[in-house]
Amino acid sequence: MTTQVIVLNGGSSSGKTGIARSLQAVLPEPWLAFSIDDFVDSMPPALQESDAGLEVAADGGVSVGADFMRLEAAWMAGLAATVRAGARVVVDDVFLGGPHSQERWRGALAGLDVLWVGVRCDAAVAAEREIARGDRVRGMAEKQAETVHQGVVYDLEVDTTRTGSLDCARAIAGAVVSASS
């Protein structure tokens, strides 16, 4: 079977978005890219700082509520429908719930050929990137660097600590090509 979905999981500022963009450049066919940040940005502002939606604590901790979970499930189902309609998709996510987050994706993507990719980055490097970005609460990258990977099973892992997005994307593209052979 041919890979239809690439799921990138990593903490904030680990390099997932850069890898997704690079994958679009190196994969031989067109791929759509969707990120959890896009989903969060699409939520009503009232849910972006609410215990029913998404809350980011002053120390960078993130918690999600029932409305977030319901809307995220609909988003996941929508992305799966996009793939079932014929598109190939790269998903850039942060598994705050570790293996439970992966199981939610497995349910939504049931029957599709998925490549699960862990995007790792040293916590200190991710924290530096977070500061340089200026659009995240300090502490988020460091808190998520390892916790989002605990209990998650991958087909492939890449590490952006010292490897650029393009090289990581080439490694992932190689796995997509070999899985399709």
Side-chain angles (χ1 to χ4, degrees):
M1 192 168 199
T2 302
T3 302
Q4 299 165 288
V5 182
I6 300 168
V7 177
L8 306 173
N9 173 49
S12 179
S13 300
S14 63
K16 299 176 306 296
T17 302
I19 291 172
R21 288 185 191 126
S22 294
L23 279 167
Q24 289 178 304
V26 301
L27 288 166
E29 296 187 24
W31 286 70
L32 301 175
F34 297 95
S35 77
I36 191 66
D37 290 342
D38 297 331
F39 167 70
V40 169
D41 290 344
S42 73
M43 291 176 19
L47 286 181
Q48 291 184 22
E49 286 297 326
S50 154
D51 60 354
L54 176 78
E55 281 192 301
V56 180
D59 67 355
V62 178
S63 59
V64 297
D67 287 344
F68 180 96
M69 297 295 284
R70 180 179 53 79
L71 292 171
E72 184 187 44
W75 177 67
M76 291 173 164
L79 292 182
T82 299
V83 175
R84 290 186 177 94
R88 292 182 183 193
V89 170
V90 178
V91 175
D92 155 358
D93 202 350
V94 179
F95 289 3
L96 294 173
H100 302 292
S101 297
Q102 187 174 35
E103 284 309 311
R104 292 183 73 218
W105 272 114
R106 285 189 194 281
L109 301 172
L112 299 172
D113 189 5
V114 180
L115 181 69
W116 300 94
V117 180
V119 178
R120 294 191 177 269
C121 182
D122 178 78
V125 172
E128 288 173 17
R129 292 176 186 170
E130 175 182 76
I131 291 168
R133 287 174 71 159
D135 66 348
R136 297 284 190 268
V137 173
R138 286 191 185 185
M140 186 182 297
E142 189 170 6
K143 283 186 179 307
Q144 294 175 0
E146 289 302 319
T147 60
V148 300
H149 299 291
Q150 293 173 353
V152 178
V153 178
Y154 299 113
D155 299 307
L156 175 68
E157 292 187 45
V158 295
D159 190 326
T160 66
T161 304
R162 291 178 192 83
T163 305
S165 296
L166 184 58
D167 288 334
C168 290
R170 286 183 178 134
I172 296 164
V176 169
V177 172
S178 66
S180 300
S181 302

